[in-house]
Amino acid sequence: MKHVHESHYVFVEPIRPAFPFLLVVGVVVFVLSLAADWLNGLPVQIVGPVLYPIERMLNAAFFPDARTPLRPNGSALLVLLPTLALFAAIYFGARAALRAALRVLRPFAGRR
């Protein structure tokens, strides 16, 4: 942002976002990679067998020729999180579109 003062000097201030998004994303990725490494070291596989049927159904629906592997815990966690983010984006996008459509149609609902 530029400021011109009485001395006619231009001071340029850097634009700082209110929320340091890239820093938070970097920390989340680092913590998830540590959690995935720790989960892969566990003797009991929990996340992989839980994710396998979900991933198999999604692959059968959208990618019929794909083979679905049974993943270890850490790899399954790294596959599960973007899948949940995709479902959340679809849900919130559909909800916002429905609310916008209802807002547009509300004036016409009472008329006959």
Side-chain angles (χ1 to χ4, degrees):
M1 191 167 200
K2 294 180 181 179
H3 294 287
V4 179
H5 295 278
E6 294 170 2
S7 61
H8 301 291
Y9 287 106
V10 176
F11 295 99
V12 179
E13 295 179 5
I15 298 173
R16 288 184 226 130
F19 189 68
F21 182 71
L22 291 178
L23 178 66
V24 171
V25 168
V27 169
V28 167
V29 166
F30 180 72
V31 169
L32 282 177
S33 65
L34 289 177
D37 188 42
W38 175 74
L39 282 172
N40 278 339
L42 292 177
V44 178
Q45 299 296 316
I46 299 169
V47 183
V50 169
L51 179 66
Y52 179 75
I54 299 167
E55 189 179 1
R56 184 167 172 95
M57 286 188 298
L58 289 173
N59 280 345
F62 297 111
F63 309 106
D65 296 333
R67 295 180 60 195
T68 306
L70 181 61
R71 301 177 192 280
N73 281 337
S75 300
L77 176 70
L78 295 178
V79 168
L80 179 64
L81 291 175
T83 304
L84 290 176
L86 175 66
F87 284 139
I90 291 171
Y91 169 73
F92 288 119
R95 191 173 83 171
L98 181 64
R99 285 185 179 181
L102 289 175
R103 195 174 309 129
V104 167
L105 295 176
R106 184 172 293 141
F108 304 108
R111 297 181 185 169
R112 299 227 181 232

